[in-house]
Amino acid sequence: MHNDLSLFTELAELLISEETNRPVAAPVDTKALYKTLDLQLNDEPIIDDEFKSILKDIIKHTPKTASTSFFNQLFGGRIPRATLGDLLAVMLNNSMYTYKVAGPQVGIEKTLLRKICDIIEYPDVADGTFAPGGSMSNYMAVLMARDKYNPSARNEGINNTMTLYTSEASHYSIAKNAAFIGVGRQQVRTIKTNDRGEMLSEDLDAKISNDIRQGFQPFFVNATAGTTVLGAFDSIDNISKVCKKYDVWLHLDGAYCGGVIFSDDYKHLVNGIAHTDSFSFNAHKMLGTPLSCSIIVTRDKKYLYESFSNEAEYLYQTNDDDFNLGKTSLQCGRRNDALKLWTLWKSVGNNGLKTIINHQFKLAEVARNYINNHPDYRLYSFEDSISVCFNYKDIPAKKLCTVLYENAKLMVGFGNFNDQDFVRMVTINSVLKEKDIINFFKTIEDFAVSTDI
């Protein structure tokens, strides 16, 4: 093991060097992948030097998500204390279903969940769990809602038309999860948004009312804190009034930007969160922990037990179910995703988390100011968002993003809203500095001139 730890250190040093010297890895075309890299599995083992060489080649060609040139997805960067926690979790290798096999790691997870419930002002009976990603957090929420409003569905299946509601700018997982729980994609009602991508509560009210008149059973509304493209925040206060009026479950999908709960300066963007029935967010996004670290909490833990608990004497052999986390989880065997968030939070404190969140909004402001002060750019996004959407000159966004990637200059994606394509950079990497944002735009400008695209 000590030899492999030494090898790991050598490989990690290479990765850090590559991130500095070659922040965008030269992409390998899929047609050439298996000819470029030795990925095959053979009958005989390979010698250590060859093994090391292959691993180094793989590192060099893998996208550098922690570099200062990665703006492509809703995550990025590397916060050392969070990474330390994840490395420890791998070495400890505990599964989180029972206290017997996880010990104090269960206490770490429960401490995190209780603190999050307190921050959003959920009652003492609230609880939560860690899920394998934001899509699965949303799945758990809609499943708990189905079981609350149609308890027989767990054993007998669904025999009536249940309807659920989400905005036209929300995450695609809502429709997918409707299929998973047996409600069906056709029962998902898409709610209109304003020009910022925020759900219109009046349209929500009208669509729920119409479904009731037709004899359907509305049961679930999904609101969003940070829409995927524009990073918009739905008005929870307005939506919660509609949900209370019709007695339906309100879930807040904060996978992207739910981390604003840790900032006194920006938590107003989720005003009314205490009125939700469940809330989820990804710490591997705004808080910068390694992938993946997804949390879902609900106002009353009984819904976790009713939807996910199942007796198994061969597994649950301690008498305190509050510490047997498998009874409130979608999974049985489950890796320890809590430790990396705990090591981060413990090391920087509440104020440190606030600083991480605030810095991302500051970086977005720097980007918007740059765009607004340069006539060759057009801005499509707005304040209180860490998605910065723009176009440069008359270059199509898809073309610009593609050639930047193919030439290993920048990794940035494109988006679309209201039939308008644009470049979408995200300032979610809190390790970035203002100079990195300026360099992002200078790279685009210099590349456009040098290639005449």
Side-chain angles (χ1 to χ4, degrees):
M1 191 69 215
H2 286 93
N3 289 336
D4 283 331
L5 287 174
S6 296
L7 174 58
F8 174 80
T9 300
E10 182 179 342
L11 296 174
E13 291 290 351
L14 171 66
L15 172 58
I16 293 170
S17 174
E18 287 285 311
E19 290 168 349
T20 301
N21 299 318
R22 299 176 183 83
V24 181
V28 181
D29 189 277
T30 54
K31 296 182 179 63
L33 177 62
Y34 298 112
K35 295 179 181 178
T36 305
L37 298 172
D38 180 5
L39 305 181
Q40 301 305 315
L41 301 172
N42 305 312
D43 291 336
E44 299 300 324
I46 60 174
I47 60 175
D48 288 352
D49 288 345
E50 185 181 358
F51 182 57
K52 182 195 300 186
S53 177
I54 292 171
L55 289 175
K56 287 184 175 181
D57 285 342
I58 291 172
I59 288 172
K60 291 176 181 178
H61 287 90
T62 298
K64 305 302 183 291
T65 64
S67 83
T68 57
S69 296
F70 182 83
F71 297 85
N72 199 70
Q73 243 61 46
L74 306 182
F75 69 97
R78 182 185 300 113
I79 298 178
R81 287 298 171 90
T83 304
L84 172 65
D86 208 18
L87 293 173
L88 284 173
V90 171
M91 293 294 291
L92 290 167
N93 200 34
N94 299 104
S95 189
M96 298 298 289
Y97 40 37
T98 70
Y99 186 75
K100 187 175 183 180
V101 299
Q105 300 299 322
V106 171
I108 285 173
E109 181 167 317
K110 287 175 66 64
T111 298
L112 289 168
L113 294 169
R114 184 64 257 165
K115 185 70 172 180
I116 291 164
C117 288
D118 290 343
I119 288 172
I120 63 175
E121 299 181 0
Y122 270 8
D124 291 342
V125 293
D127 201 356
T129 188
F130 281 67
S135 292
M136 286 296 98
S137 294
N138 291 340
Y139 172 73
M140 294 183 73
V142 73
L143 186 63
M144 286 188 289
R146 184 205 69 176
D147 293 347
K148 175 184 178 181
Y149 291 101
N150 193 343
S152 64
R154 289 193 296 268
N155 296 317
E156 300 171 16
I158 296 173
N159 53 22
N160 64 321
T161 301
M162 304 182 73
T163 53
L164 61 156
Y165 309 81
T166 192
S167 88
E168 58 190 10
S170 67
H171 194 255
Y172 73 93
S173 63
I174 302 303
K176 181 171 65 173
N177 290 333
F180 288 170
I181 68 168
V183 168
R185 295 174 186 265
Q186 292 183 2
Q187 314 317 326
V188 179
R189 306 295 187 250
T190 303
I191 309 302
K192 296 177 182 177
T193 65
N194 60 19
D195 58 2
R196 293 167 63 106
E198 299 164 346
M199 183 192 294
L200 296 175
S201 58
E202 55 268 31
D203 189 49
L204 173 65
D205 191 312
K207 283 188 167 65
I208 292 178
S209 178
N210 182 62
D211 281 333
I212 291 173
R213 286 196 299 270
Q214 296 189 57
F216 301 152
Q217 183 186 12
F219 76 103
F220 179 86
V221 172
N222 177 74
T224 306
T227 55
T228 305
V229 176
L230 290 178
F233 291 80
D234 289 338
S235 173
I236 308 169
D237 276 331
N238 292 339
I239 295 170
S240 66
K241 293 174 183 176
V242 178
C243 293
K244 184 176 181 180
K245 175 181 177 181
Y246 294 106
D247 185 24
V248 295
W249 185 288
L250 174 56
H251 173 64
L252 178 60
D253 173 11
Y256 181 13
C257 294
V260 296
I261 65 172
F262 299 102
S263 168
D264 295 336
D265 298 331
Y266 291 99
K267 66 182 180 182
H268 68 274
L269 296 172
V270 289
N271 279 346
I273 191 172
H275 301 304
T276 61
D277 295 284
S278 55
F279 164 64
S280 60
F281 76 98
N282 289 346
H284 60 258
K285 292 183 177 173
M286 289 196 93
L287 294 184
T289 71
L291 289 158
S292 65
C293 191
S294 300
I295 297 105
I296 178 170
V297 292
T298 182
R299 287 182 59 84
D300 194 331
K301 62 184 178 183
K302 73 178 183 181
Y303 296 115
L304 287 167
Y305 282 97
E306 288 177 358
S307 291
F308 304 112
S309 178
N310 205 67
E311 289 304 321
E313 186 177 0
Y314 64 87
L315 183 64
Y316 303 115
Q317 298 179 355
T318 54
N319 58 5
D320 192 340
D321 273 350
D322 278 345
F323 285 78
N324 287 332
L325 302 182
K327 293 200 170 185
T328 54
S329 172
L330 178 67
Q331 302 160 267
C332 180
R334 175 163 65 88
R335 82 180 303 273
N336 183 359
D337 287 328
L339 184 56
K340 55 195 166 192
L341 177 55
W342 184 86
T343 54
L344 170 64
W345 199 336
K346 189 74 170 177
S347 64
V348 304
N350 295 338
N351 290 335
L353 296 187
K354 174 182 177 180
T355 298
I356 289 172
I357 302 300
N358 290 352
H359 184 61
Q360 293 167 42
F361 283 96
K362 176 62 177 177
L363 293 175
E365 183 182 6
V366 170
R368 288 193 299 270
N369 288 341
Y370 187 95
I371 292 168
N372 286 327
N373 289 321
H374 288 71
D376 289 335
Y377 292 89
R378 180 176 178 182
L379 182 68
Y380 294 95
S381 51
F382 39 80
E383 294 180 350
D384 291 340
S385 171
I386 60 171
S387 291
V388 182
C389 303
F390 67 91
N391 276 324
Y392 177 64
K393 293 187 173 181
D394 58 351
I395 305 173
K398 294 181 181 179
K399 180 179 180 181
L400 180 59
C401 293
T402 300
V403 297
L404 286 168
Y405 164 68
E406 289 176 343
N407 288 273
K409 297 298 182 181
L410 289 171
M411 284 198 68
V412 62
F414 52 85
N416 178 283
F417 185 76
N418 284 344
D419 298 321
Q420 174 64 56
D421 289 334
F422 40 68
V423 179
R424 183 199 63 169
M425 73 172 295
V426 292
T427 60
I428 203 163
N429 179 356
S430 61
V431 180
L432 295 176
K433 298 179 173 61
E434 292 187 23
K435 66 178 183 179
D436 299 315
I437 303 299
I438 303 304
N439 184 64
F440 169 88
F441 293 110
K442 294 298 184 184
T443 301
I444 290 176
E445 294 160 13
D446 293 344
F447 182 74
V449 170
S450 64
T451 58
D452 193 30
I453 57 174

